[in-house]
Amino acid sequence: MKTLVLPLLLLPFLFTACTSMEEKRDSRMQSALAAEKAGDCAAARKEALEATELDPLFADAHLVLARCAVKEDRIQDAAASFAKVLELKPDSVEALTGASRAALLAEDADKASAYAEKALTIGGETQELNLLRAAVFIQRRDFAAALPLFEKAVEKAPNNEEAVTGLTSAYINTGERQKALDLLKNSLEKMPQSPALLALLLTLSLQDNDLEAAKGYVQRLLPLRPEDPALILQLSGIHFLEGRQEESRAVLTGFLKKIPASEQVRIRLAEMDAEQGEFDRALTTLGEAPAQSGLIRLTRASVLGRSGRTSEAESLLRELLADPSATAEAVEARLGLVEIALESGRVEEAEKELSLLLEKDPQNDDALFLRGRIYFSMGRFADAVSDFTKVTELDENDLDAALALADAYNASRNPERAEAIISDVIKRAPKFALAYTTLANLYMMGQKPDAALMTLDIGKKELPQDPTLPVLQADILASQKRYAEARSILEGLARQEAYREGARMRLAAISGAAGEHSRAGDAYALILKDNPDNLAAAEGRMRALIAAKKEKEALAFAEKRQKERPTDPRAAYMTGEAALANKDNAKAETAFLRALELAPGWDQPLTVLAQYYTATQRIEKAMELARNSMSKAPEVPGPAIVLAMLQEEKGDLDGAEATYRAILVNDPEVYLAANNLAFLLS
């Protein structure tokens, strides 16, 4: 056997080559570390990659890649790089700690715990490891186990944001909310510019409905995060809850002038306009978006649907479904089509669409929840229970689904199970107002008004600023004819500016229900003094005066309002209603004709006039009036329906059938026309 002998002359060359490679590798590594220190992760990543190309087993370079991936939120890449380091250096505490954090971010608590415990065994206890172990317990929802670790971390480093926010979470979830608040406020004194602490205090203030405090925290956060759309949305929401809608809108429009590409803010502005019936303005806002993304188009479809333009909305949603670039919005588009089908009464079609969706994605909680609602509306309560149960299993924190499940059990004649579910929701989320109102309504259905009132009392202690609980309490008391107690609650609410008008409206309604019509009229007058444009209060005052046998005063009030608002069809209609109460048919006719002139498609005055003309043997005049309204407002089906009914009254069944069919050709979703046609044909 021959022995391989290298020429001695080659050895210096091999040594020189190795040294050169190591020098290049180390040079790249130094550049990577310098770039990393300067915060330039892109440059650090480039240099570290070149170092690993020179030496694939160079653990330190893989560690730089891992750290950069964490900073850039590339969690999977970070996990892979930390794993590579651990292959090369199994006892690297830094890699074990980093791998634990990456696993935690990927919501793999078991892997995160294993890495952290190994790092603890090798390197001993550190602040970072304690925080990681505590965070693992938080992810497992074992808050009691997390608590001492966070307390220890805060004791060692009271200015550590992660420790303070973690301990806050542990306190809240172990029922020690006041401790959480005290900790946050004390920590904020030491770290007044901490966005994390301010954000947590903002969240807690909003949960407590303390709008003034919440607004203060937002205003402190804005200079720290001036381009954060979430803060702008919160500030706008606070103004909206305060009843300052114009300021709420101005906050959003001001932000869009600076950052027009902010989709979240643009969508909220459009939704706000749509909520106030300003559909054209909402569509304009969406149309001005720099990019017509899938999300913008989805919102546009929603606004179109809410404005009654369902065929356009449906068409847009189907376009989204067919668009391969809008795959992320496909499920929402499908759910939008389901909503349209439901609103159009096509329940079976909606159920079929949802079932097809769930075949592909059986864990889609939105689809399950929607199908549960459909089953509930169809009276299929066992199926509703099944779907709502699946939603709560997929997300135990979905409190809306839990309350829907309770409603389904109650409808299934299992109020005990319903009560247990709602009580559990209240125990888990004592600041969730809807849980108290749902339980109170459950008790009312079971003829237990005292239990309902007691539930609302408990809720009011938890949520002293929430108006829905005292309002429902007042309604229950009024239904029990306990008017004095109901008034006392509402009078207290009326002393708060934000809820004054709504509380006064209910006080007036309670006076009317108690037969105290003069008192009701005075209450409506007080509302109108502060807000003359409140139409419901104006109509309430007029009807209260009529009920109090003050017909002439009611007519004078209505005529004065019509004179002040000569172009308001509702004011003219009120005059007609008051004139009828005064048996002044001529004046009533003039007023109703004026209302119809101002709003040609409005079927309410047209119907009253048609009934009047028919009763006075002037059906042809009624039909002429209906045709005139149709010509002025062809897009509205109301006048055509009135004409068809007049044709039936006259005995012209063929004419009525033709009119109904013409309505349905124009819009198949006019169900009153479809129902009347079916009755006529039968």
Side-chain angles (χ1 to χ4, degrees):
M1 182 177 178
K2 290 187 178 180
T3 304
L4 179 64
V5 179
L6 286 172
L8 290 175
L9 289 173
L10 285 178
L11 290 175
F13 290 103
L14 286 173
F15 180 77
T16 303
C18 287
T19 304
S20 176
M21 184 275 291
E22 286 181 2
E23 285 175 353
K24 286 181 181 178
R25 180 200 70 183
D26 291 345
S27 173
R28 296 288 182 227
M29 186 63 190
Q30 291 303 316
S31 298
L33 290 171
E36 184 186 10
K37 187 176 180 180
D40 188 349
C41 271
R45 186 170 62 252
K46 178 177 176 295
E47 297 290 344
L49 278 170
E50 289 185 11
T52 59
E53 286 170 7
L54 291 165
D55 182 359
L57 303 182
F58 191 29
D60 290 350
H62 288 290
L63 203 51
V64 171
L65 292 173
R67 290 196 297 261
C68 284
V70 169
K71 289 173 185 172
E72 293 172 333
D73 288 328
R74 294 183 290 108
I75 306 307
Q76 288 184 332
D77 292 343
S81 293
F82 281 126
K84 183 66 178 177
V85 175
L86 290 171
E87 280 179 27
L88 302 169
K89 287 186 176 180
D91 291 343
S92 168
V93 172
E94 183 182 355
L96 285 165
T97 304
S100 176
R101 190 171 293 280
L104 196 66
L105 291 169
E107 298 187 1
D108 189 340
D110 292 339
K111 192 178 280 188
S113 178
Y115 283 132
E117 293 303 326
K118 188 174 179 182
L120 184 68
T121 303
I122 295 169
E125 187 178 289
T126 65
Q127 177 82 328
E128 186 173 9
L129 278 176
N130 277 341
L131 287 172
L132 273 172
R133 291 163 64 215
V136 168
F137 285 126
I138 290 283
Q139 200 165 93
R140 288 172 171 168
R141 302 190 65 77
D142 188 350
F143 302 106
L147 192 59
L149 288 169
F150 278 129
E151 285 179 331
K152 192 172 185 179
V154 170
E155 186 181 344
K156 284 187 175 180
N159 291 350
N160 185 307
E161 269 189 357
E162 187 180 354
V164 171
T165 55
L167 183 54
T168 298
S169 175
Y171 277 147
I172 289 170
N173 285 285
T174 52
E176 297 190 85
R177 186 184 176 84
Q178 191 55 51
K179 271 192 177 183
L181 278 168
D182 292 343
L183 171 67
L184 284 173
K185 288 176 180 176
N186 289 335
S187 299
L188 191 64
E189 288 179 10
K190 301 167 191 169
M191 297 178 277
Q193 299 297 308
S194 166
L197 302 185
L198 287 165
L200 266 173
L201 283 163
L202 168 61
T203 300
L204 293 174
S205 298
L206 288 171
Q207 287 175 357
D208 292 338
N209 206 29
D210 188 345
L211 301 182
E212 200 59 39
K215 189 162 51 178
Y217 292 127
V218 171
Q219 287 166 345
R220 288 178 66 175
L221 274 165
L222 278 171
L224 303 173
R225 291 166 17 197
E227 296 187 359
D228 186 347
L231 283 178
I232 294 300
L233 291 170
Q234 283 170 324
L235 182 58
S236 171
I238 291 166
H239 285 320
F240 191 85
L241 290 171
E242 290 175 328
R244 296 155 64 185
Q245 280 81 2
E246 286 307 313
E247 284 184 52
S248 176
R249 192 175 190 282
V251 167
L252 301 177
T253 53
F255 188 78
L256 282 178
K257 284 178 183 176
K258 292 187 292 183
I259 309 176
S262 177
E263 283 193 350
Q264 292 171 275
V265 173
R266 187 172 296 279
I267 286 169
R268 177 58 195 134
L269 180 59
E271 286 174 343
M272 184 185 292
D273 286 338
E275 285 162 11
Q276 296 174 344
E278 297 284 352
F279 300 114
D280 289 339
R281 190 161 72 174
L283 292 170
T284 299
T285 296
L286 294 168
E288 290 171 351
Q292 291 296 305
S293 67
L295 204 53
I296 290 286
R297 289 150 72 196
L298 266 177
T299 310
R300 185 177 185 82
S302 172
V303 173
L304 286 167
R306 290 165 70 178
S307 67
R309 294 158 65 178
T310 50
S311 57
E312 290 178 66
E314 193 166 350
S315 175
L316 183 53
L317 290 170
R318 294 201 184 281
E319 281 178 24
L320 268 171
L321 280 175
D323 185 350
S325 68
T327 51
E329 288 77 30
V331 171
E332 290 299 324
R334 180 76 66 190
L335 291 172
L337 288 170
V338 169
E339 290 279 12
I340 288 173
L342 283 175
E343 289 167 9
S344 305
R346 307 194 306 267
V347 178
E348 291 181 1
E349 179 188 326
E351 182 201 351
K352 184 179 176 182
E353 288 280 2
L354 285 170
S355 296
L356 288 171
L357 185 75
L358 287 164
E359 281 179 18
K360 296 177 183 177
D361 182 8
Q363 294 195 323
N364 187 308
D365 52 356
D366 288 332
L368 283 165
F369 186 81
L370 204 48
R371 192 172 68 174
R373 276 177 47 199
I374 291 172
Y375 287 148
F376 188 92
S377 68
M378 295 168 72
R380 293 168 57 180
F381 301 124
D383 290 329
V385 165
S386 175
D387 276 355
F388 290 140
T389 300
K390 287 174 188 171
V391 177
T392 58
E393 288 170 351
L394 288 168
D395 183 0
E396 64 179 15
N397 294 318
D398 190 335
L399 303 181
D400 290 319
L403 294 182
L405 177 60
D407 284 339
Y409 271 119
N410 188 44
S412 305
R413 298 184 180 178
N414 190 348
E416 294 80 10
R417 179 70 181 129
E419 183 180 349
I421 290 170
I422 304 169
S423 298
D424 178 62
V425 170
I426 290 173
K427 184 179 178 182
R428 288 193 290 142
K431 302 292 182 184
F432 189 32
L434 185 59
Y436 296 101
T437 57
T438 304
L439 186 56
N441 285 323
L442 176 72
Y443 285 138
M444 286 302 294
M445 283 186 270
Q447 304 296 312
K448 298 177 182 177
D450 289 339
L453 293 168
M454 187 181 298
T455 297
L456 294 169
D457 267 333
I458 294 168
K460 282 163 64 179
K461 287 174 185 172
E462 289 287 346
L463 295 153
Q465 302 299 319
D466 191 294
T468 60
L469 305 178
V471 164
L472 180 56
Q473 201 169 40
D475 288 346
I476 291 171
L477 288 166
S479 73
Q480 302 296 303
K481 301 191 185 309
R482 294 162 63 178
Y483 300 120
E485 293 170 75
R487 279 199 192 97
S488 176
I489 290 172
L490 291 169
E491 283 165 357
L493 201 59
R495 284 192 282 273
Q496 300 179 50
E497 187 176 350
Y499 313 124
R500 182 171 298 151
E501 192 166 307
R504 284 177 172 176
M505 286 291 291
R506 263 186 162 73
L507 280 166
I510 284 174
S511 295
E516 300 171 354
H517 302 298
S518 294
R519 184 172 184 171
D522 292 342
Y524 285 124
L526 191 61
I527 296 164
L528 290 167
K529 185 179 178 182
D530 288 344
N531 181 9
D533 294 325
N534 189 318
L535 175 62
E539 291 177 341
R541 174 161 171 71
M542 182 201 67
R543 288 170 190 148
L545 289 169
I546 291 171
K549 307 296 183 188
K550 298 178 180 178
E551 294 90 348
K552 292 191 185 314
E553 193 176 333
L555 180 57
F557 168 74
E559 287 180 321
K560 180 175 181 291
R561 189 172 180 84
Q562 186 183 1
K563 186 177 180 181
E564 291 169 348
R565 294 168 170 74
T567 59
D568 182 355
R570 298 294 310 189
Y573 187 87
M574 279 175 56
T575 300
E577 199 175 326
L580 280 181
N582 279 273
K583 299 183 173 53
D584 189 339
N585 293 340
K587 185 171 281 188
E589 180 184 359
T590 301
F592 288 133
L593 284 168
R594 176 59 179 162
L596 195 59
E597 180 188 342
L598 292 168
W602 189 14
D603 56 354
Q604 200 169 339
L606 177 60
T607 301
V608 175
L609 286 164
Q611 289 169 345
Y612 174 58
Y613 290 144
T614 302
T616 54
Q617 310 303 313
R618 292 182 287 171
I619 194 167
E620 289 294 342
K621 185 169 183 176
M623 292 170 72
E624 181 187 346
L625 194 62
R627 288 193 180 95
N628 185 46
S629 292
M630 287 169 63
S631 67
K632 290 181 179 177
E635 75 285 356
V636 181
I641 292 173
V642 172
L643 175 63
M645 293 170 74
L646 288 167
Q647 288 170 320
E648 282 188 74
E649 180 73 23
K650 190 181 176 184
D652 181 6
L653 302 186
D654 290 340
E657 180 183 346
T659 303
Y660 283 131
R661 288 191 185 280
I663 295 168
L664 292 168
V665 165
N666 187 49
D667 186 352
E669 296 175 5
V670 182
Y671 291 101
L672 179 58
N675 182 68
N676 288 3
L677 177 59
F679 185 77
L680 176 68
L681 294 172
S682 69

